[in-house]
Amino acid sequence: MLYRKWGSEKDEVVNYTSSIDSDKEIMEEVKLTMKAHIISLYLSGYIKKETTKKILAALNEFKEISQGYEDVHEALEDFLLKNVGEEAGWIGLGRSRNDHVATALRLKLRNKLIELLTEINSLRKTLLDKAKEHITTIFPSYTHLQLAQPTTFAHYLTYIEEELASRWEIIFFTLKLVNRSPLGSGAIVGTNVKIDREKEAELLGFDDIVYNTLSATSSRADIITTISELTVLMVVLSRIAEDLIFFSSNKLLKLPDSHVSTSSLMPQKRNPVTMEILRAKASESIGILTSLLSIYKGLPTGYNLDLQEMNKYYWLAVNYTISSIRVLESLFSQIQVNKVNIDESSLATDDAELLSINKKVPYRSAYFEIAKKVREGSYKSTLKIEDSINMKAVIGSPNFDLITNLIKSRETKLEEDEKEIEAYKLKIISKVGELQVIENGIEE
């Protein structure tokens, strides 16, 4: 132990309060944050080049967090002191674990969100490619889980893509909130050290800084907002999973062999196991968000160790979401649509509308006339399913021509989003590259 000078390392308190296990998730980001701090001290004239060189070399050798420390920050500083000597003590100047962990969390979440946004786009592309194959593939639609009207499988797929596109926009917005730097804020009110916070932020690829040092060190609202949006996305995905379970159980779809399992007793079973797990992960995500909100709601302003207990939940939520997106992409890329015979009663709405339009009678009168025939069992439609779909006149309907145009417009939007996230990623890489250039110059 480096900081704790009371009690003993054998006390139960050490293990009880230690965050070593969850800190493994952010070790590389903690190192990067420390690197930016060291270089900032050097650029500001507080430490000499030779000292900076020694500390950076030792920092790059830090590979493992040993047990017996409060957290990764203490373990890292002790490692530097042991490998560099007293000179490494300069790293404590103008630095607190409070601003360093807040920075590392945002760096880690930033990378995870970029990965997630890229995966969402990959799934969107799979959906649109599959939709082009099924523009004329007849498929039932449901309300209240009862047969509604005929549609197409392309219509269903583009519904999912549009849902994902909306989530993508909001998550990208939260990425920009997250990508602001708390570094240089010290423990709570800043520091007497003249650290250029904006330069530190630039070197770490941040868009801006969290200005108020209280907010920078003790707020987790941006991160909670992000987890909240990921939970909404998981709930959306859970509804899709439920659809796929229902569709496959009713022989409308055949799920890929890799996404089903059989029974230990009944050899004919094709259980939709990946979709069942996805539903469960969505429920867990709701629980994770509830845990975060419950921990956070009663905390006084300023850093409290309760915040440490929130960290593990961030990565659970993000990893659940990324893996669920990947599973759905795998499923939709291999899914098969079975030939469906749709009950002609699903055409009753079309006949009622046509009766109203052609006979110039109020729709409700036409509705009651058709409904009477349906109840009596005398209803017979003169339409074909394809006619029903092609008569749909409004944008967003499954009309073959309209859905073709919709797919093209959605592909254009997807291309724009792909370029946007790629440009954003490259901008970050370029900024962090400057940090590496400075480090290389010090090492020469």
Side-chain angles (χ1 to χ4, degrees):
M1 295 185 298
L2 180 64
Y3 305 134
R4 187 172 182 261
K5 295 305 181 185
W6 55 90
S8 164
E9 64 180 18
K10 296 180 181 179
D11 293 342
E12 65 274 11
V13 173
V14 175
N15 289 331
Y16 187 69
T17 61
S18 175
S19 62
I20 290 297
D21 289 340
S22 62
D23 283 351
K24 292 174 183 177
E25 286 281 357
I26 57 171
M27 188 178 79
E28 292 304 318
E29 288 75 20
V30 167
K31 289 170 62 177
L32 184 60
T33 300
M34 179 64 81
K35 188 173 291 188
H37 175 65
I38 294 165
I39 288 174
S40 180
L41 290 176
Y42 164 70
L43 294 176
S44 300
Y46 288 101
I47 55 177
K48 297 178 182 179
K49 182 176 182 179
E50 191 59 32
T51 300
T52 306
K53 181 178 180 179
K54 291 178 184 177
I55 296 173
L56 288 173
L59 176 61
N60 288 327
E61 291 301 314
F62 183 70
K63 305 293 184 184
E64 185 178 359
I65 312 172
S66 302
Q67 294 296 323
Y69 292 100
E70 290 183 21
D71 52 37
V72 62
H73 312 280
E74 184 184 46
L76 175 58
E77 184 169 352
D78 197 36
F79 178 87
L80 295 177
L81 286 168
K82 288 176 179 176
N83 285 270
V84 176
E86 187 179 0
E87 288 178 283
W90 281 106
I91 69 170
L93 184 64
R95 166 247 180 190
S96 167
R97 287 181 289 181
N98 297 355
D99 67 325
H100 273 231
V101 70
T103 303
L105 290 172
R106 286 174 179 261
L107 287 172
K108 174 80 172 185
L109 186 54
R110 178 182 75 189
N111 292 339
K112 284 289 188 179
L113 289 178
I114 290 172
E115 181 182 356
L116 171 61
L117 289 166
T118 302
E119 291 292 342
I120 292 173
N121 283 344
S122 184
L123 174 54
R124 289 167 65 190
K125 185 177 188 307
T126 296
L127 291 167
L128 292 175
D129 286 344
K130 187 64 68 172
K132 286 189 287 189
E133 299 175 13
H134 292 283
I135 291 171
T136 60
T137 301
I138 306 303
F139 204 74
S141 69
Y142 296 87
T143 63
H144 308 276
L145 267 188
Q146 300 295 305
L147 180 62
Q149 294 176 268
T151 185
T152 65
F153 194 54
H155 191 231
Y156 177 74
L157 294 172
T158 53
Y159 140 70
I160 302 173
E161 192 279 330
E162 190 166 347
E163 286 275 86
L164 292 175
S166 296
R167 296 302 100 211
W168 192 96
E169 294 284 351
I170 294 176
I171 295 170
F172 187 62
F173 175 77
T174 66
L175 169 60
K176 294 177 181 179
L177 287 178
V178 166
N179 199 31
R180 298 183 298 145
S181 175
L183 194 58
S185 296
I188 189 168
V189 295
T191 172
N192 297 328
V193 181
K194 294 181 179 179
I195 291 175
D196 187 343
R197 292 191 62 209
E198 291 178 329
K199 182 62 177 178
E200 283 183 327
E202 184 179 341
L203 291 175
L204 288 172
F206 287 112
D207 294 333
D208 201 351
I209 64 173
V210 182
Y211 280 80
N212 188 286
T213 56
L214 265 172
S215 179
T217 55
S218 71
S219 174
R220 296 294 184 268
D222 290 340
I223 299 179
I224 294 173
T225 296
T226 300
I227 302 305
S228 175
E229 292 305 331
L230 297 191
T231 305
V232 173
L233 173 58
M234 283 297 290
V235 169
V236 169
L237 299 184
S238 183
R239 293 188 70 197
I240 304 307
E242 175 63 17
D243 283 347
L244 293 169
I245 292 168
F246 173 75
F247 293 155
S248 62
S249 296
N250 286 279
K251 309 298 184 184
L252 302 174
L253 298 173
K254 182 181 180 183
L255 302 183
D257 291 346
S258 56
H259 287 261
V260 300
S261 72
T262 192
S263 161
S264 59
L265 180 65
M266 300 170 283
Q268 83 283 4
K269 295 295 292 299
R270 289 180 58 87
N271 300 325
V273 289
T274 56
M275 295 302 95
E276 291 172 347
I277 292 296
L278 197 160
R279 282 189 312 195
K281 295 294 186 189
S283 298
E284 287 187 73
S285 296
I286 294 170
I288 288 168
L289 177 60
T290 302
S291 295
L292 291 172
L293 293 171
S294 299
I295 294 171
Y296 195 70
K297 75 169 184 64
L299 298 185
T301 299
Y303 189 85
N304 302 271
L305 207 57
D306 312 52
L307 294 172
Q308 167 187 290
E309 294 303 293
M310 298 169 67
N311 296 348
K312 58 181 175 286
Y313 294 117
Y314 304 144
W315 319 126
L316 274 175
V318 175
N319 291 334
Y320 281 174
T321 311
I322 291 173
S323 62
S324 297
I325 289 288
R326 287 174 176 163
V327 162
L328 279 173
E329 183 183 358
S330 169
L331 184 148
F332 278 113
S333 67
Q334 306 171 70
I335 201 166
Q336 296 178 33
V337 185
N338 295 328
K339 184 174 177 57
V340 181
N341 293 316
I342 299 179
D343 193 299
E344 72 170 346
S345 65
S346 64
L347 298 172
T349 304
D350 292 298
D351 280 316
E353 286 188 338
L354 290 175
L355 180 59
S356 176
I357 293 168
N358 296 333
K359 300 295 185 179
K360 309 297 183 186
V361 298
Y363 177 74
R364 192 57 60 208
S365 299
Y367 171 93
F368 287 138
E369 182 177 333
I370 297 297
K372 183 173 182 292
K373 292 180 180 179
V374 172
R375 287 196 305 272
E376 293 172 347
S378 61
Y379 170 73
K380 298 289 184 183
S381 178
T382 58
L383 296 173
K384 294 181 179 178
I385 299 292
E386 291 79 3
D387 296 333
S388 167
I389 292 171
N390 272 325
M391 285 190 299
K392 298 299 176 287
V394 297
I395 293 173
S397 71
N399 174 289
F400 298 154
D401 292 333
L402 291 175
I403 204 74
T404 299
N405 292 334
L406 174 64
I407 292 171
K408 290 178 181 177
S409 68
R410 299 307 305 170
E411 285 180 323
T412 300
K413 181 64 172 65
L414 174 57
E415 289 173 6
E416 292 171 355
D417 290 345
E418 288 174 331
K419 289 176 182 177
E420 188 168 18
I421 191 61
E422 186 63 24
Y424 197 83
K425 181 170 68 174
L426 291 176
K427 182 176 70 172
I428 291 170
I429 292 171
S430 175
K431 289 180 178 179
V432 177
E434 184 183 350
L435 180 67
Q436 186 63 53
V437 169
I438 296 172
E439 181 182 356
N440 292 341
I442 293 170
E443 292 176 347
E444 289 177 355

